[in-house]
Structures are given as C-alpha cells and as structure tokens.
Amino acid sequence: MKATRMDRRMPPGSRRHGVVIPVPHTRSGQKHVQAYIQTLRPMVADVAATLDVNRNALIDLRDPDEIGAVYLGAFLDDLANRLGAER
C-alpha cells in the first residue's frame, strides 16, 4: 500500500529530533533552499571566527548535536571570559 501525502505529514504538535528543513520536490523550491543555505554559510563562518572555534576539529564530526555542542561550548567560554573581564 502506497502512503498518501497526508500519511507522510506530521500531526500538529508532534516534534522530530534536530532541525527539520522541509525539502520541496519542485526545482524552484530546491533552488530556494540552496540559496538559503548559501546565505547562511558565511554567517556560520563569521560566528566560528568570532568564537575561535577550531574548524579543523569540526571536519571529522558528522553528528549535528556534537557540532552544536562545540559551538555552544565556545560561546559559553567566550561569555565566561567576558564576564570575568568585567569584574
């Protein structure tokens, strides 16, 4: 039995793990998603440079949770340094 479009949709209020970007099936929709991702890439590089994130260490990581943990750790270290400097 083939699943219908309504069967594939998530019911209201349900959640999936991580960030879910719905990928459209049309060409124009896929182009829009690619343009959005290309716009975000320089911003991620700027954040990594500001927080002194070791980008080489992130190359081996594939799990989004681990990558997020590295960024969060760098952010918290930077925040602790700034708060310590104010004392």
Side-chain angles (χ1 to χ4, degrees), residues 11-79:
S14 65
R15 297 183 62 178
R16 291 185 181 164
H17 298 288
V19 176
V20 178
I21 298 176
V23 178
H25 296 288
T26 63
R27 265 192 221 169
S28 65
Q30 290 175 355
K31 286 181 183 179
H32 288 295
V33 169
Q34 287 300 320
Y36 180 72
I37 290 171
Q38 293 300 327
T39 304
L40 290 178
R41 280 197 179 146
M43 293 183 345
V44 170
D46 289 344
V47 168
T50 302
L51 295 176
D52 293 329
V53 172
N54 185 357
R55 299 286 303 256
N56 294 330
L58 295 177
I59 291 173
D60 297 333
L61 298 178
R62 297 283 180 241
D63 184 18
D65 292 336
E66 291 177 0
I67 294 170
V70 170
Y71 276 94
L72 179 60
F75 171 74
L76 292 175
D77 290 344
D78 184 62
L79 181 62

